[in-house]
Amino acid sequence: MLNRRQFLAASGWAGASLALSGLVTAAGGVQADDPALDANTFHGLRRYARTAFGNIAYVEQGHGAAALFLHGFPLNGFQWRGALPRLAPYRRCIAPDFLGMGYTQVAEGQAVGPDDQVGMLLALMDTLGIASADVVANDSGGAVAQLLLARHPERVRTLLLTNCDTEIDSPPPALLPVIALAREGRFVEEWLGRWHADRTLARSAEGIGGMCYADAANPSDEAIDTYFGPLLSTQQRTDRAHAYAIALSRNALGGTAEALRASRAPVRVVWGMADTIFAPKNVDYLEAAFGNSRGIRRLVGSKLFWPEERPDVIAREAMVLWNTWTPVAMRR
């Protein structure tokens, strides 16, 4: 049975969802058939922000209040190519590439662990003139988002969290072979390199497709090129990708529970229940993890990288979350 707080939260969310579904359909902004950005367009939109952490690659669309989209491993901002055009009418949507991933140019000697990613995001926000942002995150990007919320709650307006690390599951057991290969300097070449060379293998049950995507057609050829190409392009980038993976061996979320429970930013969790990387137990944990939880939505049949496959869900969930945020709610 729902307690009073849970009932009110669920009722409010359902009401907002119904009201907003008509609004966004009439406005023509968030539609299931809105086209995703293709690779050429996405590459053409890429910009670089000069920071002490390096030149941070990011793609930006839209105007107004900022929204940050934090990708998973070993992906980059291209993961959000479907969500950005759907949400650009409502937010200044920014999808950066993490240190050690994608097209970001990391400063010499700069570490690339989760703590460093938080520092990079703060520097990026300052460079772009962003005081606070709505954050949407997946996979290892979700761990960084939780750290950002725990340590700098004033910089996070709302958080839409999808399958990712939690304090009780970081790193997940499924990631341990990746970390072990990265320590030996073999992961990028032996896994990503093989998938880059053999697209059928990449989409097979033994590849990233079978492990992380529900649609057997994913990842697409252009996604494989965009994700893995940069990490294979130079030894320096390969080494930094290995450093990224190795840094995930430490549970960066350890000790964050109290700060997350004390946070007042509205947090919505949408979880793909067919995930083979993060266990279903994480959903129950996250349901009580945040001080201003806006509930959990479970997606049957969806895997880790479902935000790439279902950007319409990301867009609709984000719009409801953003439209239920008020300064008053933050002060309660």
Side-chain angles (χ1 to χ4, degrees):
M1 179 178 294
L2 295 176
N3 61 33
R4 182 175 182 273
R5 179 187 177 200
Q6 291 171 323
F7 175 78
L8 291 173
S11 301
W13 190 268
S17 298
L18 288 172
L20 187 60
S21 63
L23 171 64
V24 297
T25 301
V30 180
Q31 297 282 359
D33 58 353
D34 277 355
L37 301 171
D38 61 32
N40 286 336
T41 302
F42 198 87
H43 292 318
L45 290 171
R46 185 175 295 109
R47 300 291 182 268
Y48 291 88
R50 182 173 296 178
T51 74
F53 295 83
N55 296 324
I56 310 305
Y58 69 97
V59 165
E60 178 177 340
Q61 281 196 306
H63 303 279
L68 287 178
F69 294 78
L70 307 183
H71 64 80
F73 169 75
L75 313 184
N76 55 52
F78 192 59
Q79 181 181 21
W80 305 106
R81 64 191 178 279
L84 265 58
R86 286 171 166 83
L87 291 169
Y90 312 99
R91 286 294 188 273
R92 180 187 178 191
C93 298
I94 299 166
D97 291 353
F98 279 129
L99 299 166
M101 294 286 105
Y103 296 83
T104 283
Q105 300 163 357
V106 183
E108 189 67 30
Q110 172 61 53
V112 298
D115 296 323
D116 305 289
Q117 307 293 352
V118 172
M120 178 274 287
L121 288 178
L122 294 173
L124 176 66
M125 293 172 73
D126 290 343
T127 300
L128 298 180
I130 298 169
S132 64
D134 298 297
V135 179
V136 182
N138 175 243
D139 189 43
S140 57
V144 175
Q146 291 173 73
L147 289 175
L148 182 64
L149 176 60
R151 297 175 182 173
H152 304 276
E154 75 285 356
R155 307 303 294 264
V156 180
R157 194 164 43 242
T158 66
L159 173 57
L160 177 58
L161 203 60
T162 68
N163 299 54
C164 65
D165 297 79
T166 65
E167 187 179 20
I168 63 168
D169 193 19
S170 181
L175 193 64
L176 297 182
V178 171
I179 295 170
L181 282 174
R183 290 189 189 279
E184 298 175 6
R186 297 164 50 199
F187 167 68
V188 171
E189 180 180 356
E190 294 187 14
W191 285 33
L192 305 189
R194 290 177 63 210
W195 294 339
H196 189 258
D198 186 344
R199 311 307 167 85
T200 300
L201 176 63
R203 289 187 280 266
S204 72
E206 292 73 37
I208 192 171
M211 287 188 280
C212 300
Y213 295 85
D215 187 342
N218 285 326
S220 66
D221 284 356
E222 67 173 11
I224 291 171
D225 285 334
T226 304
Y227 293 149
F228 306 152
L231 307 184
L232 292 159
S233 63
T234 68
Q235 187 61 50
Q236 185 180 58
R237 287 184 176 272
T238 295
D239 291 344
R240 283 179 172 144
H242 287 149
Y244 186 107
I246 293 168
L248 299 179
S249 64
R250 181 182 70 87
N251 185 357
L253 293 172
T256 60
E258 184 176 348
L260 293 177
R261 282 194 299 268
S263 66
R264 300 313 305 156
V267 179
R268 174 74 162 169
V269 177
V270 185
W271 198 274
M273 297 305 293
D275 190 348
T276 63
I277 309 300
F278 294 103
K281 67 180 180 180
N282 291 286
V283 183
D284 297 327
Y285 174 81
L286 289 173
E287 197 155 20
F290 301 102
N292 191 2
S293 174
R294 296 305 173 95
I296 306 285
R297 178 178 175 184
R298 294 166 171 83
L299 299 179
V300 176
S302 290
K303 295 187 177 181
L304 175 59
F305 293 148
W306 72 261
E308 183 175 343
E309 298 184 297
R310 304 186 66 180
D312 54 310
V313 175
I314 287 291
R316 291 182 183 278
E317 289 286 345
M319 284 297 293
V320 174
L321 183 61
W322 297 346
N323 280 270
T324 57
W325 177 88
T326 65
V328 172
M330 294 288 285
R331 292 197 296 267
R332 288 176 184 168

